[in-house]
């Protein structure tokens, strides 16, 4: 087990899931992926998270992102729990949940933090690019459910900045002004960003979202 850092290759694995045995890379194909872990089945916060993730599936799909969840309970338990999630969250869980009974994937991705809990996975998130590199990691404690609007917002930023020489400022939302990459001189930036470059400081230049 090694800590995974941004830019590292996401480890591939084949695992039993609520939708049968799946290979992670084959499941992701050429698109983006989110792998996120949960402490345990039949727990309240996880139930709301998975229901929310299911409701966001179309938004993720529009961005070519596939989701895969994980907890350390077995596939039969996952299937029973999914019935509860569908019933209580008024949705349909429509992505696989890894049944990581032997903690193989949890170990690969360092999802068990022994000083938080010896056996259960924390709330980890890994966003993986089409090149299978890790683009973002998040770690939340069991007591705090994640914000799926934030995950969408991060995906929007990652996809925008992958193709344009820009970065996204604090609290940025899709369509808002973005920051010109510090490596580009302002004169050059004005030729690249034809919608205009606003120079607030030589190192702080804003431009309209080049894709909007
Ligand atoms: C939950 O998902 O509700 C939860 C799981 C483990 C500990 C605390 C809360």
């Amino acid at each position: 087990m090694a800590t995974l850092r941004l830019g590292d290759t996401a480890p591939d694995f084949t695992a039993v899931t609520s939708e049968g045995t799946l290979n992670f890379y084959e499941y992701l194909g050429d698109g983006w992926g989110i792998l996120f872990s949960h402490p345990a089945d039949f727990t309240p916060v996880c139930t709301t998270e998975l229901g929310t993730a299911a409701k966001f599936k179309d938004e993720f799909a529009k961005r070519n992102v596939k989701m895969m969840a994980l907890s350390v309970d077995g596939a039969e338990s996952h299937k029973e729990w999914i019935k509860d999630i569908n019933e209580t969250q008024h949705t349909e869980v429509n992505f696989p949940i890894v049944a990581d009974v032997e903690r193989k994937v949890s170990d690969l991705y360092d999802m068990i933090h022994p000083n938080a809990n010896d056996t259960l996975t924390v709330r980890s998130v890994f966003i993986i690019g089409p090149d299978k590199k890790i683009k973002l990691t998040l770690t939340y404690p069991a007591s705090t459910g994640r914000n799926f609007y934030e995950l969408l917002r991060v995906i929007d930023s990652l996809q925008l900045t992958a193709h344009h020489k820009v970065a996204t400022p604090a609290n940025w939302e899709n369509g808002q002004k973005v920051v010109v990459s510090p490596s580009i001189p302002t004169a050059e930036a004005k030729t690249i960003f034809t919608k205009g470059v606003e120079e607030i400081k030589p190192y702080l230049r804003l431009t309209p979202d080049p894709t909007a």
Side-chain angles (χ1 to χ4, degrees), residues 51-69:
T52 302
K55 288 176 191 164
F56 275 57
K57 188 180 177 190
D58 289 349
E59 287 301 320
F60 285 115
K62 269 190 224 164
R63 293 157 174 86
N64 197 21
V65 182
K66 282 189 172 169
M67 291 182 280
M68 189 179 275

Side-chain angles (χ1 to χ4, degrees), residues 13 24 33-37 68-69 105 109 111 124-126 128:
F13 57 85
F24 189 47
I34 297 188
L35 177 66
F36 55 110
S37 57
M68 189 179 275
V105 180
Y109 279 82
M111 291 164 164
S124 299
V125 181
F126 294 87
I128 295 151

Side-chain angles (χ1 to χ4, degrees), residues 39 43-47 120 123 142-143:
T43 50
V45 176
C46 298
T47 299
L120 302 181
R123 296 188 197 282
S143 51

Side-chain angles (χ1 to χ4, degrees), residues 109-136:
Y109 279 82
D110 195 19
M111 291 164 164
I112 293 179
H113 296 195
N115 290 327
N117 188 299
D118 270 350
T119 49
L120 302 181
T121 39
V122 292
R123 296 188 197 282
S124 299
V125 181
F126 294 87
I127 297 184
I128 295 151
D131 57 1
K132 304 293 182 290
K133 302 286 184 202
I134 294 177
K135 306 297 182 187
L136 174 128

Side-chain angles (χ1 to χ4, degrees), residues 84-99:
D84 281 5
I85 298 168
N86 293 346
E87 177 196 328
T88 62
Q89 307 303 304
H90 312 291
T91 186
E92 207 144 302
V93 171
N94 39 24
F95 51 84
I97 307 175
V98 175

